[in-house]
Amino acid sequence: MNTVPIGKEVEKNDIEIVEPKTLFDPKPFEGTRVKIERVEFTEFETHYIDGVWDDKKTIMQQGIMVITEPVTQVTNANGMKSDIRVKQRFSLQKRVNDKGETTWVVSKNPKGKLWKLCRKCGVEYPSDLKGKFVILTLEPSNDANDDRMYLRISV
């Protein structure tokens, strides 16, 4: 361990710069066929309000979380094992009926990813996705400064 006196001005070679230790590399799992283990309701905050992005405001959105069986298992520095699963969130569409009551529905719009996944798996309802097989794909981070890749369900 290199010890530097406190208060000393930092110089170029005082601190070593190292690459992070990665516990999981998703690249070998691209194209893997995996079974859906659970389909759950979820609620999350979103900046999309009536289809328009608003940086200053968020609302609560309901959705469906699709969770796969473990893809692999990793061991951390303490020797603890953890299962790696793919979790993907799909938004539900808010509908207001004639009485003013709000319900959350699966949109059959061709751009609707949950409906697209249901059709791809040959089911009509999200609850029927449990036990179906899906293909995993790699997706880059949304942040342009982040070079990480994430496993997603191919829709």
Side-chain angles (χ1 to χ4, degrees), residues 108-125:
K108 283 189 170 184
N109 185 314
K111 291 183 179 179
K113 289 190 178 184
L114 181 56
W115 180 243
K116 206 177 205 180
L117 178 64
C118 287
R119 283 187 320 175
K120 196 173 195 177
C121 291
V123 300
E124 190 171 347
Y125 300 100

Side-chain angles (χ1 to χ4, degrees), residues 58-149:
T58 61
I59 59 169
M60 293 309 290
Q61 167 82 34
Q62 296 226 353
I64 299 288
M65 181 74 73
V66 176
I67 305 163
T68 69
E69 288 184 342
V71 176
T72 189
Q73 198 173 61
V74 295
T75 306
N76 69 11
N78 300 332
M80 303 264 309
K81 293 187 177 199
S82 298
D83 289 333
I84 301 294
R85 302 169 192 274
V86 176
K87 295 180 181 181
Q88 192 157 334
R89 187 177 65 198
F90 297 90
S91 297
L92 293 174
Q93 186 175 20
K94 184 165 45 169
R95 286 273 168 95
V96 180
N97 65 15
D98 298 338
K99 298 176 187 175
E101 298 168 333
T102 300
T103 57
W104 295 93
V105 299
V106 176
S107 173
K108 283 189 170 184
N109 185 314
K111 291 183 179 179
K113 289 190 178 184
L114 181 56
W115 180 243
K116 206 177 205 180
L117 178 64
C118 287
R119 283 187 320 175
K120 196 173 195 177
C121 291
V123 300
E124 190 171 347
Y125 300 100
S127 58
D128 296 335
L129 288 169
K130 184 177 176 181
K132 297 293 181 180
F133 283 91
V134 291
I135 304 293
L136 300 180
T137 185
L138 279 179
E139 189 174 289
S141 173
N142 292 336
D143 184 356
N145 297 324
D146 186 359
D147 62 350
R148 291 180 290 184
M149 299 292 282

